[in-house]
Amino acid sequence: DGDLSISYISEDGSIQRETFDMVVLSVGFQTSEKVKDLARKLNIELDSHDFAKTFSITPVTTSRPGIFVCGAFQGPKDIPQSVMEASAAASAVGTVLSEVRGTMIKSKEIPQPRDISGEPPRIGVFVCHCGINIGGIVDVPAVRDYAKSLPYVEYVADNLYTCSQDTQLLIKEAIEKHRLNRVVVAACTPRTHEPLFQETLIDAGLNKYLFEMANIRNQDSWVHDDPKEATEKAKDLVRMAVAKAALLEPLRDSEIEVKEGALVIGGGIAGMSAALSLAASGYHVHLIERDKQLGGNARKLHLTWKGEDVQDLLSRMIENVQKNPSITVHLNTTLKNVDGFMGNFTSVIECDGNEETIEHGVAIVATGAEELKPNEYHYGEDPRILTHLELDQKFIENDPELEKVSCAVFIQCVGSREPERPYCSRVCCTHSVQSALEIKKRNPEADVFILYRDMRTYGEREDLYHQARAAGVIFIRYDVNNKPEVTIGDGKIQVRVTDHVLGMPVILEPDILTLATAIVPPRDEELAQFFKVALSEDGFFVEAHAKLRPVDFATDGVYLCGLAHYPKSIDESIAQGQAAAARAMTLLAKEKVEVSGMVATVNPFLCSSCGVCVAICPFNAPSFNDKGVSEINPALCKGCGLCVASCRSGAISLKGFDEPQIFAMIESL
């Protein structure tokens, strides 16, 4: 009858048939023939799945020196990892070109902004269709025509994609032709697109703060079903934006000098990767580690998922760090205090009771995470019940008892995907499968069972799963409401689990039981407070934007990498360390940097010195000067407006959001 029918086998083995209106196929990644042809021309080696072949210690380096790779050509991955690897590739390129940096490319000359003082407002309004994203619900031509009727509007246009390069040229031409001195764009969120349009204003000779954006996507087309209501709301939003734009004034960014050098907090794989990348590009690095030796969790790991010897990889990396004259290593060291802001940090570190002050321009947080020590499955009561890292230690030491193992059991998701820890620790499935293969390698006759909720050997790690199935490893799925039961007694370990295919209980008596426990963060709230950065509910550090700035914090000049961010494998940690270094280098490469002119200011004649602004600011921007009056450091201010809203005497205003501008928007309604 035109519907779609799907037949499948349910988990109890019965054949099911269901009818649907729509079927969506979630298809896999593959390398296109054009890209494979390009790889042949460039003489780049591909792996068995035709992705670029790389190694864990050099995750963005191809088989041919001088050619680097990032994104889905390196393997299946999501947007944040692709963006991360792009920065890592830039870092790798930067180390190659470090000796000739600044000798070939002249910086772009930025035109001086046109003096608009004394001119009446001449506003240009550009309304975006965004394909059907906005235009599918909002009558964009009607909004465009409505904008023509608003005061001070001299030019209007609607564009299919206002953020496209072609439209940027049209906006620039319109500014010059119609002598526009203010611009309003009605499109999507300013969080992602405002900098792009501000750059266009700069190219056209206007101050970038003479720009206002109406968010008719997130605040309109995405939240309304009725086209008529959505169109009326779009008109309201545009009218408010125009009312504010008419009162906009040029603002000036502040310049601050950048101190040379970086502070990397954490001496694990990710931290060392970041330190080596920075040092290779000619920057001095202070690498601090709270432990007595470098290496972090990698000291307890046997193999990477690609089969490389982690201890060999780690020893070479530590040797490179210790021999590098541009890296100063501080062991047994903790961070005691941090002052300053982007480009001008002053940190106090402590080692064996002795304090040292370090000045640096940027900081990279690579504090790692740790393996959960569980309180279930009788862990700690029998030496044969281990965690992953404890089993890996036996592999590293080549424990002869492993060759005698006749039965081994792995239990997945111990402490992960639970109410108190709802996240997936990502690497556990791959780790268990790899360890199961290692046991099979040492004793092919051993019975190996993996008890799992969902197997998540993502990307090319799926090969390991197929190898394990071929080697005879048995996978038994368990339900979260019917977990395996472990008992110990009479010198035996018994594991009871219900087989989801047979629908019957199975009792196993392993010689060794490995628990795939969660990766848990240290939840370092003190460090988060030092740099004014955020922690997630789970205790991991939160990036500024998952897709656009995956290694940046919201606090400028501070970056993150490794397990401190979220659970990840060694190659991903190394890539993110390189990416953090690349982002840090964009700041360190400048003698001076500009900070936003959209900051709060204090009228000293109105300030009552109550101290509310000092107490409430999350960025420590306000402070009392020598006259006892509040003063705001523009380098620290993020323009959040908390101090403005809390100032009882009305002494504080936020540039770009002055009271006349806000009231103009309200009154326009």
Side-chain angles (χ1 to χ4, degrees):
D1 58 1
D3 290 330
L4 300 164
S5 181
I6 292 182
S7 300
Y8 62 92
I9 300 175
S10 67
E11 294 205 11
D12 63 8
S14 63
I15 297 177
Q16 302 290 326
R17 188 179 185 89
E18 290 191 59
T19 301
F20 299 92
D21 299 315
M22 177 185 289
V23 175
V24 179
L25 305 180
S26 181
V27 299
F29 282 104
Q30 67 176 9
T31 305
S32 70
E33 290 300 323
K34 288 184 178 180
V35 174
K36 285 189 277 188
D37 184 55
L38 176 63
R40 285 190 288 269
K41 291 177 180 177
L42 295 176
N43 196 24
I44 295 174
E45 188 177 352
L46 303 181
D47 64 18
S48 59
H49 297 289
D50 291 327
F51 294 107
K53 186 174 183 179
T54 61
F55 297 94
S56 294
I57 197 169
T58 53
V60 295
T61 302
T62 68
S63 58
R64 185 174 177 184
I67 298 181
F68 303 92
V69 63
C70 57
F73 180 43
Q74 197 263 358
K77 53 181 58 72
D78 58 6
I79 291 174
Q81 186 67 25
S82 297
V83 175
M84 208 178 290
E85 285 184 1
S87 290
S91 174
V93 170
T95 61
V96 175
L97 301 179
S98 59
E99 293 184 4
V100 293
R101 184 185 295 114
T103 61
M104 295 178 290
I105 302 174
K106 292 183 178 180
S107 60
K108 175 184 174 182
E109 290 188 10
I110 300 176
Q112 286 297 315
R114 192 174 91 225
D115 184 6
I116 66 163
S117 57
E119 292 183 12
R122 296 179 61 85
I123 303 173
V125 179
F126 300 85
V127 187
C128 185
H129 289 260
C130 200
I132 61 170
N133 205 10
I134 294 172
I137 186 77
V138 175
D139 186 346
V140 171
V143 176
R144 175 203 63 200
D145 294 341
Y146 173 75
K148 285 183 182 179
S149 67
L150 297 174
Y152 305 114
V153 173
E154 298 292 330
Y155 179 81
V156 297
D158 62 306
N159 316 99
L160 183 59
Y161 293 105
T162 309
C163 60
S164 69
Q165 185 62 38
D166 291 342
T167 306
Q168 300 310 297
L169 295 175
L170 293 175
I171 293 175
K172 182 180 176 182
E173 291 172 3
I175 291 172
E176 295 170 348
K177 181 178 179 180
H178 299 278
R179 295 291 292 176
L180 303 178
N181 53 28
R182 288 162 182 82
V183 172
V184 171
V185 171
C188 49
T189 172
R191 183 179 181 186
T192 55
H193 286 67
E194 186 176 55
L196 171 68
F197 296 118
Q198 287 182 331
E199 285 293 326
T200 301
L201 263 68
I202 292 172
D203 289 342
L206 282 182
N207 183 283
K208 68 179 181 180
Y209 294 106
L210 297 172
F211 171 78
E212 184 63 23
M213 200 162 180
N215 189 346
I216 62 171
R217 184 190 69 175
N218 305 51
Q219 297 174 358
D220 192 5
S221 66
W222 277 5
V223 294
H224 285 284
D225 296 324
D226 188 316
K228 184 177 179 181
E229 290 183 353
T231 301
E232 289 304 311
K233 185 172 181 179
K235 292 177 181 179
D236 291 342
L237 291 169
V238 169
R239 186 169 66 252
M240 293 170 68
V242 169
K244 181 185 176 185
L247 298 176
L248 290 176
E249 295 291 339
L251 302 178
R252 292 188 62 182
D253 290 338
S254 300
E255 277 192 343
I256 57 174
E257 293 186 358
V258 177
K259 293 178 180 176
E260 191 177 343
L263 177 70
V264 178
I265 308 162
I269 284 279
M272 288 191 292
S273 172
L276 286 168
S277 295
L278 286 164
S281 294
Y283 300 105
H284 190 267
V285 181
H286 287 276
L287 177 62
I288 67 172
E289 167 58 45
R290 67 180 62 151
D291 204 352
K292 62 182 178 181
Q293 54 189 347
L294 297 171
N297 287 303
R299 287 191 166 277
K300 305 171 186 176
L301 289 171
H302 180 221
L303 299 174
T304 69
W305 72 270
K306 295 182 178 180
E308 302 138 320
D309 188 326
V310 174
Q311 297 309 303
D312 177 60
L313 179 157
L314 183 63
S315 61
R316 284 186 283 137
M317 182 174 275
I318 291 175
E319 183 181 7
N320 290 337
V321 167
Q322 292 174 334
K323 287 184 176 181
N324 197 307
S326 296
I327 301 176
T328 303
V329 178
H330 304 267
L331 299 177
N332 285 324
T333 300
T334 55
L335 188 64
K336 302 300 292 183
N337 190 46
V338 177
D339 284 320
F341 45 87
M342 172 184 63
N344 285 264
F345 290 107
T346 301
S347 298
V348 178
I349 61 175
E350 182 183 28
C351 177
D352 298 327
N354 299 316
E355 291 189 350
E356 180 182 350
T357 300
I358 296 173
E359 293 187 342
H360 52 101
V362 298
I364 295 176
V365 175
T367 48
E370 57 189 15
E371 183 184 56
L372 174 71
K373 300 299 181 183
N375 55 11
E376 54 187 327
Y377 299 120
H378 296 281
Y379 175 77
E381 299 176 26
D382 191 304
R384 294 169 296 175
I385 301 177
L386 310 169
T387 64
H388 262 158
L389 294 185
E390 291 166 350
L391 177 61
D392 268 28
Q393 197 62 41
K394 290 182 176 291
F395 288 142
I396 293 169
E397 295 168 357
N398 206 21
D399 189 337
E401 292 297 317
L402 291 174
E403 297 180 6
K404 302 175 184 178
V405 171
S406 61
C407 180
V409 173
F410 295 81
I411 300 179
Q412 300 303 108
C413 294
V414 179
S416 287
R417 303 172 67 203
E418 298 287 351
E420 66 273 18
R421 240 173 263 103
Y423 58 88
C424 169
S425 292
R426 294 186 77 235
V427 298
C428 319
C429 289
T430 303
H431 201 158
S432 289
V433 170
Q434 193 172 33
S435 296
L437 285 168
E438 184 68 20
I439 290 174
K440 277 286 191 181
K441 177 182 176 182
R442 294 171 186 245
N443 181 9
E445 301 303 315
D447 295 322
V448 182
F449 300 86
I450 295 180
L451 315 184
Y452 70 99
R453 286 174 60 184
D454 298 284
M455 285 308 299
R456 296 182 173 182
T457 47
Y458 59 95
E460 293 182 280
R461 295 159 177 80
E462 191 77 2
D463 286 346
L464 293 172
Y465 173 76
H466 288 291
Q467 290 172 27
R469 292 293 298 268
V473 176
I474 298 173
F475 292 80
I476 301 176
R477 186 174 186 180
Y478 71 86
D479 186 85
V480 66
N481 297 315
N482 189 18
K483 293 182 179 180
E485 298 175 5
V486 176
T487 58
I488 53 177
D490 299 327
K492 294 182 179 180
I493 302 173
Q494 277 197 347
V495 180
R496 187 179 188 276
V497 62
T498 300
D499 187 289
H500 71 290
V501 176
L502 301 176
M504 297 173 57
V506 176
I507 296 177
L508 309 171
E509 293 188 355
D511 302 310
I512 191 168
L513 171 61
T514 304
L515 306 179
T517 61
I519 292 176
V520 293
R523 195 178 283 276
D524 197 335
E525 294 182 359
E526 184 180 44
L527 181 61
Q529 183 60 33
F530 282 157
F531 289 106
K532 304 298 180 294
V533 296
L535 291 171
S536 70
E537 291 183 1
D538 300 314
F540 293 99
F541 286 102
V542 179
E543 70 279 11
H545 190 287
K547 294 181 180 180
L548 301 179
R549 299 172 65 195
V551 297
D552 295 51
F553 279 115
T555 299
D556 294 330
V558 188
Y559 311 91
L560 80 161
C561 57
L563 295 180
H565 184 204
Y566 59 73
K568 52 179 67 72
S569 60
I570 283 179
D571 55 339
E572 291 172 348
S573 293
I574 290 175
Q576 194 177 14
Q578 294 174 334
R583 296 292 299 139
M585 281 186 266
T586 62
L587 182 59
L588 292 175
K590 304 172 185 176
E591 294 181 359
K592 295 182 179 180
V593 293
E594 292 183 341
V595 295
S596 174
M598 201 170 284
V599 295
T601 58
V602 179
N603 183 338
F605 299 105
L606 296 179
C607 179
S608 61
S609 304
C610 67
V612 173
C613 61
V614 176
I616 202 171
C617 179
F619 305 104
N620 289 347
S623 61
F624 289 119
N625 59 21
D626 54 3
K627 296 180 180 178
V629 175
S630 178
E631 194 174 70
I632 293 175
N633 185 335
L636 291 175
C637 180
K638 301 301 177 189
C640 69
L642 273 176
C643 59
V644 181
S646 64
C647 182
R648 298 165 182 171
S649 57
I652 308 179
S653 61
L654 181 60
K655 294 179 179 179
F657 291 90
D658 289 333
E659 282 189 11
Q661 297 166 351
I662 300 299
F663 280 117
M665 297 176 73
I666 296 171
E667 290 166 1
S668 71
L669 289 174

